[in-house]
Amino acid sequence: MKQLILVFLGGGLGSVLRFIIGRWLNNSETVIPYGTFAANVIGSLLIGLILGLAAKNETLSQSQTLLLATGFCGGFTTFSTFAYENHVFLKSGDFMSFAIYTVASFVVGFLAVFLGMWLVK
């Protein structure tokens, strides 16, 4: 039960922060949804740091890892919103924004995870 509560609390905090970032960075004037992009890249960096710390001499406990990686990062990052935004690009025929957003999200997201893991070594 404790594990469920930790994931619930972390996920709630992550979701609220993602909502705030989305409200701040996403607007109808920009084509690319920068809020979702920022949340996914920051979340990728954070999960790299968190799991890197967890693996390094067991710096984080299992409970801390559940709260931060599974809960917070799981609530903060959002594949479903990313997929929907790409659907909107494709439906509107904006193939260039679709390509840029998709490639940048994957490349920068992966690089952020690797950077996070590298930083804690």
Side-chain angles (χ1 to χ4, degrees), residues 5-108:
I5 292 170
L6 289 170
V7 172
F8 174 77
L9 292 173
L13 291 171
S15 295
V16 168
L17 186 56
R18 175 174 32 94
F19 173 77
I20 291 168
I21 288 174
R23 294 285 297 228
W24 183 49
L25 294 177
N26 290 346
N27 62 56
S28 59
E29 296 173 13
T30 61
V31 176
I32 302 294
Y34 292 109
T36 306
F37 181 76
N40 287 336
V41 170
I42 293 166
S44 295
L45 176 63
L46 287 175
I47 205 164
L49 290 167
I50 293 163
L51 295 180
L53 285 171
K56 182 180 180 181
N57 301 324
E58 298 179 11
T59 306
L60 295 176
S61 70
Q62 181 184 13
S63 292
Q64 291 169 320
T65 303
L66 280 172
L67 174 73
L68 298 172
T70 305
F72 181 81
C73 289
F76 184 63
T77 60
T78 174
F79 186 78
S80 57
T81 302
F82 168 76
Y84 172 75
E85 290 163 346
N86 276 308
H87 165 77
V88 171
F89 286 140
L90 291 174
K91 189 173 180 178
S92 69
D94 191 353
F95 301 110
M96 184 60 74
S97 293
F98 166 78
I100 291 169
Y101 183 50
T102 300
V103 171
S105 293
F106 281 115
V107 170
V108 177

